[in-house]
Amino acid sequence: MRHLLSTADLALDDALRILDIAEDMADVSTREVRKLPTLRGTTVVNLFYEDSTRTRISFEAAAKRLSADVINFAAKGSSVSKGESLKDTAQTLAAMGADGIVIRHPSSGAPRVLADSGWVEAAVVNAGDGTHEHPTQALLDAFTMRRRLHGAASRGRDLDGLRVVIVGDILHSRVARSNAWLLRTLGAHVSVVAPPTLLPVDVSRFGVDVFYDLDEALARVRPDVVMMLRIQQERMNEAFFPNAREYARSWGLSAARFRALPATAIVMHPGPMNRGLEISDEAADSPRSTVREQVANGVAVRMAVLYLTLAGDREDSL
């Protein structure tokens, strides 16, 4: 795997290979020494044009557990704020010997431009681009679902027949797009729920069922997984919905809605959570919530992605 830019690029075998290698990487965290020598001598640059502490730290931890050298490059306060282009920044990093670039960018498509441009020879991993995609988040979500569904027998298994409902700001969510494509590839049935103002006009191309009423969706689908998306604070002032109270009443996972879910259903959230807005305390703190598992699994999945893009030919390194 040369780059990871989009979950839409992943065939079923590709997705399963990443998830299976992530199982091996997760086992590393149970060892006394939680490190592998796989990427020793390799340099990974976290090139973040947007703030995202969780994602950056997760990639940094993943690279360091594989013994790579890590350089964190934040656009704020750098030459980028003085007008330097993505091309010039990338070529500067290439000159410094970057073998892999993990990029988060506010413009949709920036990681693919970097990967296809010929400016660098480095492997490129998309850590979130505009309102387009966030592939490693979708992979860690799928990894978490698979472990909850199959437990210790997860390796080699897909998500065939799993019913997933994604709720919230679908219009601006790169997490929703990546999950919709990946989960369908893995065999899951995906539904999305949002006010009409927070659904993209081309939502049909995601291959999902669309609902505007959360109670109707939960009653009809009887989901195995409910994934709540974060409502970004700036959306509250842009007239996408009347106010925070109205959103919570109509589309939030309240304590009552949580109790009405099937007994085996799990609740997911990419974080950070707005408690009382998109999710209640009861749902967020329940044993059926996977929020903390998602964070832990994110390191294992990102280790797998870095391994495959930077050392995929060293099968004996594990």
Side-chain angles (χ1 to χ4, degrees):
M1 190 168 71
R2 180 69 180 127
H3 308 291
L4 178 63
L5 307 174
S6 167
T7 57
D9 297 337
L10 297 175
L12 177 60
D13 288 345
D14 300 325
L16 289 178
R17 186 175 186 222
I18 295 171
L19 297 179
D20 288 347
I21 290 177
E23 292 283 355
D24 297 324
M25 298 302 180
D27 290 343
V28 173
S29 65
T30 64
R31 301 179 184 178
E32 185 175 349
V33 178
R34 293 182 290 179
K35 267 201 163 187
L36 293 172
T38 311
L39 297 184
R40 184 178 295 156
T42 300
T43 300
V44 176
V45 177
N46 288 328
L47 178 59
F48 276 50
Y49 286 79
E50 289 181 328
D51 295 330
S52 181
T53 304
R54 288 168 179 247
T55 303
R56 180 183 58 77
I57 289 175
S58 183
F59 270 109
E60 183 174 357
K64 287 182 175 179
R65 287 188 185 180
L66 291 170
S67 301
D69 297 316
V70 180
I71 298 172
N72 290 314
F73 184 101
K76 287 183 179 178
S78 72
S79 52
V80 171
S81 62
K82 301 174 185 176
E84 184 173 78
S85 68
L86 175 61
K87 177 180 180 179
D88 291 331
T89 300
Q91 290 180 329
T92 298
L93 297 176
M96 293 178 181
D99 300 292
I101 297 176
V102 178
I103 179 171
R104 189 179 187 95
H105 202 283
S107 298
S108 299
R112 190 170 294 278
V113 168
L114 181 59
D116 295 344
S117 62
W119 300 333
V120 296
E121 294 295 323
V124 177
V125 177
N126 182 0
D129 60 329
T131 57
H132 180 225
E133 279 217 57
H134 194 350
T136 57
Q137 179 68 46
L139 285 162
L140 73 88
D141 290 340
F143 182 87
T144 303
M145 293 177 204
R146 194 172 76 154
R147 277 202 154 185
R148 281 286 184 123
L149 183 65
H150 299 300
S154 289
R155 282 179 174 81
R157 306 288 290 273
D158 58 21
L159 299 176
D160 188 41
L162 194 74
R163 299 182 301 275
V164 182
V165 171
I166 304 175
V167 186
D169 185 357
I170 309 299
L171 177 63
H172 303 98
S173 176
R174 44 197 170 204
V175 174
R177 285 170 174 76
S178 287
N179 266 294
W181 288 321
L182 179 64
L183 293 175
R184 284 181 57 235
T185 298
L186 291 170
H189 179 88
V190 183
S191 302
V192 298
V193 187
T197 51
L198 288 176
L199 283 169
V201 294
D202 59 346
V203 68
S204 60
R205 75 185 181 92
F206 293 1
V208 300
D209 291 335
V210 180
F211 294 89
Y212 305 105
D213 184 288
L214 178 55
D215 293 313
E216 178 191 1
L218 297 180
R220 287 180 55 184
V221 176
R222 300 295 290 168
D224 303 297
V225 180
V226 178
M227 182 182 296
M228 307 304 297
L229 301 176
R230 181 173 67 91
I231 291 296
Q232 299 171 41
Q233 297 296 326
E234 59 269 24
R235 307 293 173 221
M236 298 181 192
N237 299 318
E238 293 182 2
F240 286 102
F241 48 87
N243 52 56
R245 181 179 296 179
E246 177 69 15
Y247 184 90
R249 187 180 70 82
S250 299
W251 294 283
L253 187 61
S254 63
R257 287 188 177 115
F258 173 68
R259 293 187 204 115
L261 291 176
T264 57
I266 64 172
V267 176
M268 306 186 76
H269 195 297
M273 295 181 288
N274 292 311
R275 291 173 180 258
L277 180 58
E278 68 253 6
I279 191 168
S280 65
D281 285 334
E282 183 172 335
D285 297 329
S286 165
R288 289 158 58 192
S289 167
T290 66
V291 175
R292 284 192 292 274
E293 288 172 49
Q294 288 169 263
V295 174
N297 292 339
V299 176
V301 165
R302 286 163 179 140
M303 287 175 70
V305 169
L306 292 175
Y307 166 76
L308 285 168
T309 54
L310 295 172
D313 57 341
R314 303 184 216 170
E315 295 291 350
D316 59 345
S317 300
L318 294 175

